[in-house]
Amino acid sequence: MFYFDNAATSFPKPESVYLAMDDCARSLSFNVGRGQYDLASKATSLVEKTREQILKFFDYQEGQVVFCPSATHAINTVLQGQLYNEGDTIYITPFEHNAIFRTLNHLSERVRLDIRYLSVSKTPFFFNLVDIRKQFEINPPKFLVISHASNVCGAITPIKELCSLAKEFGAITVVDTAQSAGHIPISMKEVMVDYLIFAGHKALLGPIGIGGIVMHVNDRHILPTVYGGTGYDSQNSFMPKELPARLEAGSLNIVAVAGLSAGLQWILDTGIEEIYNHEMYMMRKIQSLLESNYDFSCIGSDFQGPRLGVLSCISDEYAPDELGLILNKNSICVRTGLHCSPDAHRFFNTFPSGTIRFSVGWFTSDADIEMLTSVIQKL
């Protein structure tokens, strides 16, 4: 198998991740915070250690980590846990995943919200911070909800500048790092973000089934959206006010936490800059291959700023789904269609058929590129 779908989920994982999960499933798979016996306490220690790893990873040791089953659940926890007023202005990018876009549209049916797109220039392709400031001055933001990187073209959103600007207007800032965390360093001390969303199964190299939120330890604004047992303050008929228990109803996926912990350690040992450099080296090879073939056009590769190892393209000869089937017959795994990000494709004029997307990771090799080259040349 030749895998080019790391933007959906990283594969393979480091061997240490598989070993940690197997060991946890066999010897430590207990309910966290529910037992006084030694093994339950050890499981709790693993969860707290992983929280500390995440806080260190995002350079926010004084913060709080809330675990969720996925980044999508984390986004819903944050957005549905806020108090809204009629007409609140919420700014998003044109590249949002449906995890954000659908959640905001659902909320807007309940409370009329003014959802607006940040100004992004197409030619040249960049975030126009001058125009965005004008947008904020005319319609001040109550919330800024943005993805750190596009899962369609890999363009990195200037979150530091945007969050700082939004804070001038008193906005609550939410940043989804599902596509960026693990590829590039992210410091919450440098970025004025109130809620940072992460996904464990992408570049953090953990398994599917774990994600979460990093926020201020004394946050009192966000309300729970799921209710149930926490193993803490059980005599209380309501959810505890303290974090993380307030937002962590039910049993934590301890096996997935173990895998995430191992993935974070592997990234630390390997070096995030080395990971990024390898991914961009592989992406440049793919881009060169596609651009040298007149049948293909790369989408968003002219972004005037840093990018990740994600590249979408269209073909003059093949529809994206058709090309995906051809590649699949040659054991090449890619993503085709809209990638759960329809507005991005409206922005790039590739809606509704979408694109074919290649996304690389640390384990993408020259052999993968050679196989892809062979098939493209045959086409």
Side-chain angles (χ1 to χ4, degrees):
M1 182 175 67
F2 305 91
Y3 190 75
F4 294 97
D5 196 22
N6 287 277
T9 188
S10 56
F11 184 85
K13 312 294 183 184
E15 185 64 20
S16 58
V17 172
Y18 298 126
L19 292 174
M21 293 176 65
D22 182 68
D23 179 63
C24 182
R26 294 175 187 274
S27 63
L28 208 61
S29 194
F30 304 102
N31 269 18
V32 173
R34 265 68 162 190
Q36 298 302 315
Y37 47 95
D38 290 344
L39 289 176
S41 297
K42 189 174 180 182
T44 300
S45 295
L46 171 61
V47 169
E48 296 311 313
K49 169 196 168 187
T50 308
R51 292 192 210 275
E52 292 173 4
Q53 286 179 287
I54 291 169
L55 292 175
K56 184 177 181 181
F57 190 85
F58 291 111
D59 190 25
Y60 194 51
Q61 281 88 337
E62 61 272 28
Q64 179 61 264
V65 174
V66 172
F67 286 118
C68 300
S70 68
T72 297
H73 283 79
I75 288 167
N76 274 265
T77 297
V78 169
L79 295 183
Q80 297 207 53
Q82 304 296 322
L83 294 175
Y84 298 95
N85 296 311
E86 289 281 332
D88 278 350
T89 300
I90 301 178
Y91 283 93
I92 62 175
T93 75
F95 314 112
E96 296 310 325
H97 191 278
N98 274 336
I100 287 176
F101 192 61
R102 285 178 172 173
T103 305
L104 288 176
N105 280 326
H106 164 72
L107 289 168
S108 194
E109 285 187 335
R110 193 170 68 198
V111 179
R112 186 185 61 82
L113 301 174
D114 183 13
I115 302 172
R116 295 175 176 267
Y117 294 99
L118 296 170
S119 178
V120 180
S121 172
K122 289 188 177 181
T123 309
F125 177 25
F126 73 107
F127 281 83
N128 194 324
L129 295 175
V130 173
D131 284 354
I132 290 171
R133 175 176 283 278
K134 293 178 182 177
Q135 286 182 287
F136 287 4
E137 289 172 346
I138 297 171
N139 294 285
K142 181 66 179 296
F143 294 87
L144 176 71
V145 185
I146 53 177
S147 294
H148 193 187
S150 167
N151 73 330
V152 173
C153 68
I156 298 177
T157 305
I159 58 172
K160 182 177 180 180
E161 293 81 359
L162 289 174
C163 288
S164 177
L165 180 58
K167 281 299 179 185
E168 291 183 26
F169 296 85
I172 294 173
T173 55
V174 182
V175 175
D176 176 11
T177 70
Q179 289 298 325
S180 59
H183 295 294
I184 55 176
I186 302 170
S187 171
M188 287 184 68
K189 287 183 179 178
E190 296 181 3
V191 181
M192 300 177 71
V193 54
D194 294 305
Y195 301 101
L196 181 144
I197 310 297
F198 65 89
H201 67 100
K202 297 180 188 283
L204 295 183
L205 301 174
I208 290 175
I210 193 70
I213 313 159
V214 185
M215 66 181 82
H216 195 277
V217 68
N218 292 321
D219 183 282
R220 296 296 179 190
H221 301 291
I222 188 168
L223 301 173
T225 56
V226 178
Y227 297 80
T230 61
Y232 168 76
D233 196 19
S234 295
Q235 75 278 6
N236 190 347
S237 300
F238 299 91
M239 292 298 289
K241 293 183 179 181
E242 292 75 16
L243 291 172
R246 190 194 333 156
L247 304 177
E248 284 187 349
S251 300
L252 280 179
N253 187 342
I254 183 66
V255 176
V257 171
L260 175 59
S261 175
L264 291 166
Q265 186 60 50
W266 187 91
I267 293 170
L268 179 64
D269 294 341
T270 304
I272 198 165
E273 290 187 6
E274 187 170 349
I275 293 170
Y276 178 77
N277 290 337
H278 171 80
E279 291 171 345
M280 295 311 296
Y281 171 72
M282 291 296 167
M283 183 50 58
R284 284 191 292 269
K285 283 194 168 188
I286 296 175
Q287 186 170 337
S288 176
L289 167 65
L290 296 174
E291 290 181 343
S292 66
N293 187 316
Y294 70 92
D295 284 340
F296 292 95
S297 299
C298 295
I299 304 301
S301 60
D302 59 339
F303 180 65
Q304 306 292 296
R307 294 174 55 225
L308 298 180
V310 177
L311 183 68
S312 283
C313 70
I314 54 176
S315 166
D316 294 337
E317 299 295 328
Y318 302 94
D321 289 347
E322 184 181 15
L323 188 55
L325 289 173
I326 294 171
L327 293 176
N328 180 58
K329 289 180 180 179
N330 290 273
S331 300
I332 296 175
C333 304
V334 296
R335 178 80 178 268
T336 63
L338 297 178
H339 319 109
C340 299
S341 187
D343 275 353
H345 291 279
R346 292 186 177 96
F347 181 88
F348 292 121
N349 298 318
T350 53
F351 186 90
S353 58
T355 61
I356 182 166
R357 184 186 73 185
F358 301 89
S359 52
V360 300
W362 173 260
F363 295 101
T364 305
S365 67
D366 287 328
D368 297 321
I369 305 297
E370 289 169 7
M371 183 62 182
L372 178 62
T373 301
S374 173
V375 174
I376 295 295
Q377 288 176 344
K378 288 178 182 179
L379 288 173

